[in-house]
Amino acid sequence: MKKTEIFADYDRYILSTYSRTPVVFVKGKGMTLVDITGKKYLDFFPGWGVNNVGHCHPKVMSAVRDQIGRLIHIPNNFYHPHQAKLAREIIRLSFPGKVFFCNSGAEGCEAAIKFARAYGHKPHGVYGHEPNVVHGKASRHEIITMTNSFHGRTLGALAATGQAKYQNGFHPLPPGFKTVAFNDFNALKAAVGNDTIAIMLELVQGEGGIHVAGQEYIRQVRELCTENDILLIFDEVQTAMGRTGEIFAFKHYGVVPDLMVLAKALGGGLPIGALVVKEKIAGTFKPGMHASTFGGSPLVCKAALGTFKAIFADKMLKNTRVMGAYLMERLNALKEKHNCIKEVRGLGLMVGVELAMEGKSVFEKCLERGLIINCTQGNVLRIMPALNVTKKQVDKAVYILEQVLAEVSS
Ligand SMILES: *Cc1c(COP(=O)(O)O)cnc(C)c1O
């Protein structure tokens, strides 16, 4: 198929929910993507936060190859070994609890929202009583989320997302959500009421422009939740799987959430999401209360097990900390030279460069020169290379970015 034919078919047959860049990719290996003309790209935003272990990592590929010839899918009213193994691995690396498997970030957030609602419909800590009654009052159901958050595009996740631009045109959204300023503990405390059942946030807001939650803030939020029997939900869809230099970002904060949502990088490129809930409250969900046809199929669980193996065998957490610090240092040096850079911020290899101008042309000019990055919120460059990125590759990316910044600001 020719490039022009592909574009024409997209125009003709695919709903235009995305603004697309006219590049057709056909192959990927590690940090490199190859387009249909044979041009190679250094990928510093692989798979929109999905390919933390790079494109087609051998450990993921061999896991998938091995499984695809045996069994791809079975329904969730039966058992298979890989779902058991993967859940055990996630729990071993996070906190004592239980896992529900789904297919995406939005679906994981929906599961978290439903779980919180179900928890709110029970008398405190007592299971199996009449629903809808808590101490003789209507149930607690309200979920507080943050401005500039992103939790996905399905209606519940969208209602949780604190950005009007994604919600416009889709009202009425499910009620029961309230949004407060991120990193502002007093605003959050003031918003908590008798109906509050959960607080949901990202430890590093990704789509919202790489805003890192403060240490003290998160400690206070955890305390507030514990004191008031409010569920603390960390949406780790983008921050997990080593992205910030820990396998899960919450490990930077010395606190443990009640619920954690995973997706994006979990399957090493294959679609899998998960809701992880603390042991003590896990009994809230009972058979029949939630489901997902494809959730946790043998193929994607095997891929996720391969992804964990890749991260640990290749010592990617350490590399993420070292290369993340190096990348930030190089970008901060650029900031000294180019006043179009307002701020460099991030955690591990989740890095944002806030510009004093629109970032679209920077993204486009980097792409022309063979470097893929992302631009979010109009003026924040999002740079999230695979976790096994080398110093040489960081140097090359920074070199291209510097050339582009010099060009656009001259
Ligand atoms: C991407 C993202 C989602 C949504 O994930 P999908 O798989 O696109 O539904 C939810 N939360 C966060 C933090 C994300 O980055």
Side-chain angles (χ1 to χ4, degrees):
M1 242 181 145
K2 285 208 197 84
K3 210 167 150 174
T4 49
E5 288 175 310
I6 296 167
F7 295 152
D9 279 356
Y10 266 72
D11 266 354
R12 175 73 184 80
Y13 299 113
I14 291 176
L15 273 172
S16 63
T17 57
Y18 297 91
S19 47
R20 287 179 217 270
T21 305
V23 180
V24 180
F25 289 116
V26 293
K27 216 174 132 181
K29 187 84 201 137
M31 295 286 301
T32 306
L33 271 183
V34 184
D35 78 8
I36 198 166
T37 69
K39 179 175 167 180
K40 285 185 177 169
Y41 298 80
L42 183 59
D43 194 355
F44 266 54
F45 196 64
W48 210 277
V50 165
N51 299 91
N52 281 12
V53 297
H55 295 283
C56 297
H57 191 286
K59 287 226 157 39
V60 178
M61 289 306 99
S62 69
V64 169
R65 277 203 196 96
D66 179 57
Q67 189 58 38
I68 210 157
R70 290 167 199 265
L71 183 64
I72 297 172
H73 174 80
I74 55 140
N76 269 312
N77 57 331
F78 292 104
Y79 295 80
H80 70 84
H82 307 304
Q83 191 173 121
K85 270 191 212 162
L86 178 59
R88 195 206 301 150
E89 182 70 349
I90 291 171
I91 293 305
R92 182 179 76 79
L93 294 166
S94 56
F95 45 84
K98 292 200 166 120
V99 183
F100 171 82
F101 286 110
C102 54
N103 311 284
S104 69
E107 226 188 305
C109 290
E110 293 290 341
I113 292 165
K114 275 183 74 177
F115 189 96
R117 291 254 179 113
Y119 183 75
H121 277 76
K122 292 172 188 305
H124 292 236
V126 185
Y127 301 120
H129 282 236
E130 278 294 289
N132 292 317
V133 179
V134 176
H135 301 324
K137 290 184 298 185
S139 67
R140 292 194 295 150
H141 63 274
E142 190 177 73
I143 298 175
I144 301 178
T145 67
M146 304 297 148
T147 49
N148 278 330
S149 59
F150 186 82
H151 300 294
R153 305 298 196 121
T154 54
L155 285 176
L158 191 59
T161 292
Q163 301 191 59
K165 69 176 182 201
Y166 292 123
Q167 300 175 339
N168 289 338
F170 299 107
H171 291 279
L173 295 171
F177 294 87
K178 199 190 260 180
T179 300
V180 300
F182 184 53
N183 262 336
D184 181 342
F185 181 70
N186 289 331
L188 177 62
K189 199 172 165 191
V192 167
N194 291 333
D195 289 341
T196 308
I197 191 63
I199 294 168
M200 177 157 153
L201 58 87
E202 299 149 88
L203 290 166
V204 183
Q205 291 188 329
E207 202 282 336
I210 312 292
H211 296 284
V212 184
Q215 289 279 340
E216 179 61 11
Y217 172 68
I218 292 302
R219 199 191 56 72
Q220 287 176 308
V221 175
R222 175 67 273 182
E223 207 172 277
L224 178 72
C225 286
T226 305
E227 278 170 7
N228 296 283
D229 189 23
I230 291 169
L231 299 177
L232 179 55
I233 308 172
F234 288 163
D235 177 349
E236 290 238 25
V237 169
Q238 198 165 146
T239 50
M241 305 308 285
R243 175 49 63 193
T244 66
E246 293 280 0
I247 192 71
F248 304 117
F250 78 81
K251 304 223 167 202
H252 289 286
Y253 290 86
V255 304
V256 174
D258 301 299
L259 286 80
M260 172 171 76
V261 183
L262 306 174
K264 287 207 166 92
L266 178 59
L270 271 77
I272 175 169
L275 170 67
V276 188
V277 308
K278 253 188 194 164
E279 187 66 50
K280 204 175 85 181
I281 55 170
T284 303
F285 265 176
K286 294 198 167 24
M289 285 174 76
H290 198 51
S292 171
T293 298
F294 286 115
S297 80
L299 187 66
V300 295
C301 286
K302 199 77 197 288
L305 286 163
T307 306
F308 277 116
K309 263 192 210 154
I311 289 172
F312 293 113
D314 297 358
K315 299 190 166 49
M316 290 192 201
L317 298 184
K318 178 157 183 251
N319 193 63
T320 299
R321 292 194 282 267
V322 174
M323 284 301 127
Y326 180 63
L327 175 62
M328 295 266 276
E329 180 194 314
R330 293 289 322 265
L331 291 171
N332 271 310
L334 277 194
K335 180 176 161 242
E336 295 305 306
K337 282 196 269 177
H338 299 272
N339 51 19
C340 60
I341 298 183
K342 268 169 69 178
E343 193 183 24
V344 177
R345 52 182 183 252
L347 193 61
L349 279 170
M350 191 165 178
V351 176
V353 179
E354 187 174 333
L355 302 175
M357 57 180 189
E358 287 290 300
K360 191 164 178 272
S361 66
V362 177
F363 159 78
E364 284 166 354
K365 285 181 194 306
C366 283
L367 191 75
E368 271 169 37
R369 289 165 200 256
L371 173 68
I372 299 171
I373 57 170
N374 174 257
C375 177
T376 188
Q377 299 293 319
N379 69 333
V380 181
L381 304 179
R382 190 163 30 155
I383 306 179
M384 293 171 46
L387 310 183
N388 51 3
V389 67
T390 64
K391 186 164 178 282
K392 218 170 132 187
Q393 288 161 337
V394 171
D395 287 338
K396 187 171 173 192
V398 172
Y399 174 78
I400 293 173
L401 183 61
E402 172 152 36
Q403 283 189 319
V404 168
L405 289 179
E407 194 186 317
V408 296
S409 57
S410 65

